[in-house]
């Protein structure tokens, strides 16, 4: 009897030791894998990320969805793309840790880390680092094909969408009007709408024009071109030079003829760089794998949206003023890219 009790005691002690060894501070998922409270698995490696994009009719959303698929295919990181209010909102989502990766305009990233313009009230965002510059985002002043608006000055007294509230497009609209000696008060009405809403309201006649900052061709503008017809209002050389002199992150840009259906002449305007940025807390190995997946997926991204084919290692650091994430640095060093 005593022998049986001793054996039973040994079994209980052994079970207790096994349970203690398997225990931890996190919880287990359905596969029995240890999970913490963040996006890291039990081995400390990043297991999932969220990519902040933009509105569903914009370039960010198309490319973000394709990038998420390719990250999943090329790494062990689960990835999903989230529709957002685009650049400025994406920076705030990185600050709070609600997303891990984000598309943004280069000028907006600069405002975020310096705590200026739309970030002045809340202060600088300190946990943003760069991965790559992607392509030029074109500032398009969109009107219906039969509109009488021929110049920026003609926007005076008109109903104009200046972009979603607090967006990069809104900042671009304000700065371009400023160079022409105008403000939002000079417009008949300044509406703050997403791209899809803007072109829909131009189509039904309740809006005269819209500022759209996005890679061309832009889905929302394509839809307008296919229905009512579209024109892009150009900027003249003198005002382009003044704009670049005052805000050096702009560059002259040509929208080629044929970009949109019925669009038979090239238009001169300006552009800013689209960039992919990351929450600085994200683990180095994960960002290395994400950066590698980005540049190994250019063909797939290009088949999703024409701007995807503009992504290149040769231009990855152009206009990128942010500090690079160590994971991105490791990848560029491997590729022999000079920083």
């Amino acid at each position: 009897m005593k022998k049986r009790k001793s054996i039973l005691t040994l079994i209980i002690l052994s079970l207790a030791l096994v349970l203690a060894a398997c225990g931890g501070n996190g919880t287990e998922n359905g596969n029995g894998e240890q999970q913490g409270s963040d996006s890291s698995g039990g081995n400390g490696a990043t297991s999932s990320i969220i990519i902040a994009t933009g509105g569903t009719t914009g370039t960010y959303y198309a490319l973000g969805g394709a990038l998420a698929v390719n990250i999943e295919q090329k790494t062990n990181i689960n990835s999903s793309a989230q529709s957002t209010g685009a650049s400025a909102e994406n920076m705030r989502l990185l600050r709070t840790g609600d997303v891990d990766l984000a598309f943004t305009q280069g000028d907006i990233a600069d405002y975020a880390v310096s705590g200026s313009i739309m970030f002045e009230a809340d202060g600088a965002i300190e946990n943003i680092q760069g991965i790559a510059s992607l392509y030029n985002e074109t500032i398009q002043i969109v009107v219906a094909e039969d509109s009488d608006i021929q110049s920026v000055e003609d926007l005076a007294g008109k109903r104009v969408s200046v972009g979603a509230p607090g967006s990069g497009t809104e900042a671009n609209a304000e700065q371009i009007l400023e160079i022409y000696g105008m403000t939002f008060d000079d417009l008949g009405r300044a509406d703050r709408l997403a791209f899809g809403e803007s072109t829909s309201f131009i189509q039904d006649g309740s809006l005269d024009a819209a500022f759209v900052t996005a890679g061309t061709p832009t889905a929302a503008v394509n839809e307008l071109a296919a229905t009512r017809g579209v024109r892009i209002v150009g900027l003249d050389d003198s005002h382009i030079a003044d704009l670049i002199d005052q805000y050096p992150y702009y560059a002259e840009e040509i929208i080629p003829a044929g970009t949109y259906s019925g669009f038979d002449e090239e238009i001169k305007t300006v552009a800013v760089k689209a960039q992919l940025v990351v929450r600085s807390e994200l683990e180095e190995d994960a960002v290395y794998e994400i950066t590698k997946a980005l540049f190994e997926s250019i063909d797939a991204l290009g088949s999703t949206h024409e701007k995807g084919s503009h992504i290149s290692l040769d231009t990855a650091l152009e206009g990128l003023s942010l500090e690079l994430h160590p994971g991105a640095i490791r990848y560029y060093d491997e590729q022999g890219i000079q920083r």
Side-chain angles (χ1 to χ4, degrees):
M1 189 69 164
K2 288 182 180 179
K3 185 176 181 180
R4 287 181 181 175
K5 285 184 179 179
S6 297
I7 293 171
L8 183 59
T9 301
L10 285 171
I11 292 172
I12 292 170
L13 287 171
S14 297
L15 286 172
L17 288 170
V18 170
L19 289 172
C22 292
N25 294 327
T27 58
E28 289 184 350
N29 65 13
N31 297 321
E33 298 168 338
Q34 194 70 23
Q35 293 183 316
S37 58
D38 56 16
S39 58
S40 297
N43 60 0
T46 299
S47 60
S48 64
I49 61 167
I50 298 174
I51 305 172
T53 62
T56 56
T57 57
T59 309
Y60 288 172
Y61 186 76
L63 290 179
L67 179 60
V69 170
N70 281 274
I71 288 172
E72 286 207 346
Q73 290 175 345
K74 297 176 184 297
T75 73
N76 291 320
I77 302 170
N78 294 322
S79 181
S80 61
Q82 177 177 309
S83 176
T84 69
S87 295
E89 181 181 341
N90 290 354
M91 299 302 93
R92 296 185 176 99
L93 291 170
L94 287 172
R95 187 211 296 264
T96 58
D98 291 317
V99 302
D100 306 289
L101 207 65
F103 287 79
T104 186
Q105 293 175 204
D107 53 333
I108 303 306
D110 282 352
Y111 301 153
V113 298
S114 65
S116 58
I117 313 294
M118 70 279 288
F119 301 99
E120 189 171 3
D122 297 329
I125 299 178
E126 298 178 351
N127 67 329
I128 300 172
Q129 291 180 315
I131 289 183
S133 280
L134 304 176
Y135 56 85
N136 281 353
E137 289 200 88
T138 308
I139 289 82
Q140 305 165 78
I141 303 176
V142 180
V143 299
E145 188 175 23
D146 59 357
S147 171
D148 61 355
I149 298 173
Q150 301 293 331
S151 66
V152 174
E153 291 94 337
D154 290 341
L155 295 174
K158 302 295 187 180
R159 301 162 297 178
V160 181
S161 171
V162 296
S167 66
T169 299
E170 184 182 28
N172 300 145
E174 185 174 28
Q175 289 162 356
I176 288 172
L177 290 174
E178 174 195 341
I179 291 299
Y180 280 83
M182 300 168 64
T183 69
F184 290 160
D185 291 338
D186 293 307
L187 307 175
R189 187 179 74 212
D191 287 344
R192 288 166 173 80
L193 306 170
F195 299 159
E197 292 176 297
S198 296
T199 54
S200 176
F201 291 151
I202 290 175
Q203 181 179 334
D204 68 21
S206 59
L207 193 70
D208 296 311
F211 282 83
V212 173
T213 301
T216 56
T218 309
V221 183
N222 263 331
E223 291 172 10
L224 179 61
T227 52
R228 187 171 174 181
V230 70
R231 278 194 299 105
I232 306 296
V233 176
L235 309 183
D236 62 86
D237 290 338
S238 174
H239 285 96
I240 288 175
D242 289 344
L243 183 69
I244 294 171
D245 183 59
Q246 186 157 340
Y247 302 104
Y249 40 75
Y250 285 103
E252 185 176 309
E253 177 85 340
I254 299 293
I255 305 176
T259 298
Y260 298 108
S261 175
F263 195 83
D264 57 3
E265 61 177 331
E266 67 176 30
I267 297 295
K268 188 176 292 187
T269 181
V270 291
V272 293
K273 281 286 186 183
Q275 296 178 354
L276 188 65
V277 302
V278 64
R279 187 167 56 85
S280 60
E281 299 91 344
L282 208 62
E283 185 223 5
E284 179 180 328
D285 286 346
V287 177
Y288 168 83
E289 293 294 339
I290 289 166
T291 308
K292 182 179 180 182
L294 168 69
F295 289 105
E296 289 181 350
S297 305
I298 291 172
D299 288 345
L301 297 178
S303 67
T304 299
H305 191 287
E306 190 267 340
K307 284 298 180 184
S309 62
H310 291 221
I311 300 170
S312 168
L313 266 175
D314 293 336
T315 58
L317 302 181
E318 283 186 3
L320 190 64
S321 61
L322 296 183
E323 176 186 353
L324 283 170
H325 191 285
I329 290 173
R330 194 208 309 176
Y331 179 77
Y332 291 131
D333 286 349
E334 280 186 4
Q335 302 302 311
I337 302 299
Q338 297 296 315
R339 294 182 280 109

